[in-house]
C-alpha cells in the first residue's frame, strides 16, 4: 500500500496517553494499516509496554519537543522545529509512502504548519477546515470553513466550496454534491457584502451550487456542502453542539419530572443513548484540513483512544479514495 | 397613561386576521391597555364584528396601502406613504401619547422606516434588532444584533452592546448586565478583524464587559447580553432554532422506537409539551428594534393572536420601564 501509511502526531493533545493507547488498538482492530508516529520514542515505548499488537506495522520517529495549546501558532512552527507536529508535517511532505496525517494538537499551529511546512495544493489558496455534520436524513453534511479562516475574501469561499465538494464526492461518494452558501435568508440577494460577492462566484462556478441557505436548515440534509467563512462556520458548528446539549439536558430533566417510576426511565435511557451517538460529532472522525499537498485530519484536543480509531478509519478512507 | 398607548401595524404580516383577532383579545385580557391600530378601517371593523371588547380603548387610523414581504425595504418606505407601516411610524414619531409600536411586517422595511420616518435616538447610531433567548437557567439572554445589520464596523457593535445592556437593565431588571462578545474562542485575542477591534472598544467602555464567548454557551445563561454583527447573530439565532427542532424530532422518534406501549408515551408527551414551551422563542414576545426615538417590537411574520397578546404585554413592559 504505497502512499497509504497513516501518520499520527502523538503529542500536543490533552491526553497523549490516550493517543498512544489508541495506536495499539488501531493496530489490533484495523487489518493491514501501517502507522508512522512522531513523538518522544521512549515515552511512547514505555506507554506501550504490556500491550499486544503487531509491532511490524508501527514506525516511531523520535522527537522531543511538543507544541502546546498555549503556543502562538506561527511561533511554534518557526521555533519548535523538532516538535512532534513539525516533524510529522515534514514527513507528510517528503515521504511518498505516507498518505494522510492525524493530529489532535493546537489547531492554529496545524494550519500554520500546513502552509509553512507541508505547502498548499498546486494552484491552491488558503487551506480550509471541513467538518462533518450528521444530518436528519441519517447522512452527513460537510461544513467548510469551520474555523481556520476567520477573515475571508469572496474567492476564498469559492475555493472552500470546491475543496469541500471534491471531498464530498471522492471520499463520501456523493454524486454531484449540492453546495449551498450560508446566509441570512434563502433569496439570491440576501447576505452581507462578503456572501453577496461569494454568491456570484459560486453561481458562475462548475459546482452544483443550489443558492443561499439559512442556519436553521443546517442539519436538514437538504444540501451536501455548506460554504461560509470560518467565523460564521465556527458560530454555526458550536451553536449546534451547544443547543443539542442544552435541549438534551432540558428533555431529560422534564422526562424525569413527568415519569412515574424508575421503570419509565428505562426506555428513555435507551433512546437517549442512541440519540447521543447520533449527535456525537466526533464519531464521524475529525475535521479535515483541505487545500494542502496532502490532507490532515484534526482530531478534538480531548481525543481518546476511540477517537484515534475513528480518525484512522477516516484517514484510511481518504487515502483509498485518492483524494 | 400618557405616552403609554401601544401602536399596532395590523397589516403586512402573513395573517392579518390573526393580528385583528389578537387586538380584540388584548383589549379583553389586558386591563387598561389602550391601542392605536393602523390599517384598512373597513376591513378591521368587519373582522371585529361579533367580538365583544371595550371599543373605547381602540383607535383605528385608516390607511389602505400595505407593505408586503416582496417589497424592497427602502422603496416601500419611500413610495407607499399611506401604508399601515409608514403611517404607524409617523404616529409613533409625532404622538406623545403613544409609547411603543408593534409590527409583524417586512423586517427590512421596518428597519428602513425606523430611520427614515421615526428617526434615530439623539447621538445614536444604527438601530439594532435585539432578540430574547430563553436560557438554561430559566432566565433570558439578549442577543444583539440578530439580523438588522449584516455589515458592521467595530463602533456599531459597541453601540449594540450599549443599547442591549440598557434594555436588559431597564426592561428586564437585570442589575449590571454581563455583556459578552460572540467570537470563536473565549481568549481575549480570539476573533476576526471586526470582533478584535470591537473587543477593544467594549473593554474600554462603561459596560460590564466580560470578554469573548463561544456560540456553544449562548443558551447557558452565563451572560445577559451577547453582542455580534447581524449576520453572525442571525446564524446563531437560526441555528439554535433549527437544532432545537432537529433534536426534539430525533428524540421523539427514538422514544417512540424504544417505548413498549402507548402508555409509555403519555408522560413523554407531557414532558415534551413543556419542553416546546421552554423552546418557544416567540413566547417571549418579538424582537425589539432599539436605537430609534421610540422602541419597536417586531413580531414574527407568521404571528397569530397569541403572539399579539405576548408582544403587547412586552410593549407595555417597555413603556412602563421608561426605556
Amino acid at each position: 500500500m504505497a502512499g497509504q501509511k497513516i501518520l499520527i502526531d502523538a503529542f500536543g493533545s490533552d491526553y497523549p496517553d490516550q493517543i498512544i493507547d489508541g495506536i495499539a488498538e488501531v493496530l489490533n482492530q484495523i487489518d493491514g494499516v501501517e502507522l508512522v508516529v512522531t513523538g518522544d520514542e521512549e515515552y511512547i515505548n514505555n506507554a506501550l509496554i504490556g500491550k499486544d499488537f503487531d509491532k511490524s506495522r508501527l514506525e516511531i520517529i523520535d522527537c522531543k519537543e511538543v507544541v502546546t495549546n498555549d503556543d502562538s501558532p506561527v511561533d511554534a512552527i518557526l521555533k519548535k522545529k523538532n516538535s512532534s507536529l513539525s516533524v510529522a508535517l515534514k514527513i507528510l511532505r517528503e515521504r511518498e509512502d505516507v498518505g494522510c496525517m492525524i493530529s489532535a494538537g493546537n489547531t492554529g499551529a496545524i494550519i500554520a504548519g500546513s502552509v509553512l511546512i507541508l505547502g498548499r495544493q498546486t494552484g491552491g489558496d488558503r487551506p480550509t477546515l471541513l467538518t462533518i455534520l450528521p444530518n436528519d436524513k441519517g447522512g452527513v453534511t460537510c461544513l467548510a470553513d469551520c474555523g481556520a479562516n476567520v477573515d475571508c475574501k469572496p474567492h476564498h469561499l469559492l475555493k472552500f466550496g470546491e475543496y469541500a465538494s471534491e471531498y464530498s464526492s471522492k471520499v463520501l461518494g456523493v454524486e454531484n454534491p449540492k453546495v449551498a452558501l450560508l446566509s441570512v435568508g434563502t433569496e439570491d440577494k440576501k447576505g452581507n457584502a462578503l456572501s453577496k460577492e461569494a454568491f456570484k462566484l459560486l453561481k458562475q462556478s462548475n459546482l452544483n451550487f443550489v443558492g443561499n441557505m439559512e442556519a436553521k436548515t443546517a442539519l436538514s440534509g437538504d444540501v451536501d456542502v455548506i460554504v461560509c467563512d470560518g467565523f460564521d462556520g465556527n458560530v454555526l458548528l458550536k451553536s449546534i453542539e451547544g443547543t443539542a446539549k442544552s435541549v438534551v439536558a432540558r428533555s431529560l430533566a422534564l422526562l424525569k419530572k413527568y415519569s412515574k417510576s424508575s421503570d419509565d426511565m428505562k426506555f428513555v435511557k435507551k433512546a437517549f443513548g442512541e440519540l447521543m451517538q447520533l449527535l456525537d460529532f466526533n464519531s464521524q472522525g475529525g475535521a479535515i484540513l483541505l487545500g494542502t499537498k496532502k490532507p490532515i485530519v484534526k482530531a478534538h484536543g480531548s481525543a481518546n483512544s476511540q477517537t484515534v480509531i475513528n480518525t484512522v478509519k477516516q484517514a484510511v478512507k481518504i487515502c483509498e479514495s485518492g483524494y
Side-chain angles (χ1 to χ4, degrees), chain A residues 106-271:
Chain A
N106 179 323
T107 309
I110 294 170
I111 296 164
S114 78
V115 173
L116 297 170
I117 300 177
L118 174 61
R120 300 173 189 191
Q121 274 183 18
T122 312
D125 207 317
R126 293 186 193 177
T128 185
L129 202 56
L130 174 149
T131 197
I132 306 280
L133 302 171
N135 66 39
D136 292 345
K137 292 186 176 159
V140 296
T141 301
C142 298
L143 169 66
D145 185 85
C146 71
N149 304 281
V150 293
D151 289 295
C152 292
K153 302 278 183 208
H155 67 89
H156 296 133
L157 270 64
L158 171 63
K159 213 71 192 175
F160 301 163
E162 290 174 355
Y163 292 147
S165 179
E166 190 186 355
Y167 187 89
S168 175
S169 147
K170 280 195 182 165
V171 182
L172 304 175
V174 176
E175 205 176 321
N176 204 19
K178 283 187 223 136
V179 178
L181 180 65
L182 183 64
S183 190
V184 295
T186 55
E187 302 90 337
D188 285 6
K189 291 193 173 173
K190 290 269 178 169
N192 59 9
L194 171 68
S195 77
K196 283 177 185 171
E197 286 304 311
F199 184 96
K200 291 181 201 162
L201 297 179
L202 286 159
K203 190 92 186 165
Q204 291 159 8
S205 74
N206 291 324
L207 295 171
N208 180 14
F209 179 57
V210 297
N212 283 329
M213 60 165 283
E214 292 182 296
K216 70 178 168 193
T217 57
L219 295 177
S220 66
D222 293 342
V223 301
D224 303 301
V225 170
I226 301 171
V227 174
C228 56
D229 83 9
F231 195 93
D232 300 318
N234 197 270
V235 167
L236 177 59
L237 176 61
K238 287 183 180 163
S239 70
I240 289 172
E241 288 178 343
T243 305
K245 209 174 145 188
S246 165
V247 174
V248 165
R250 294 190 202 192
S251 310
L252 276 175
L254 287 166
L255 286 164
K256 261 179 212 153
K257 176 179 158 188
Y258 285 105
S259 68
K260 291 200 182 87
S261 66
S262 61
D263 223 46
D264 270 354
M265 288 302 285
K266 275 187 188 157
F267 82 95
V268 170
K269 274 179 192 155
K270 275 189 199 159

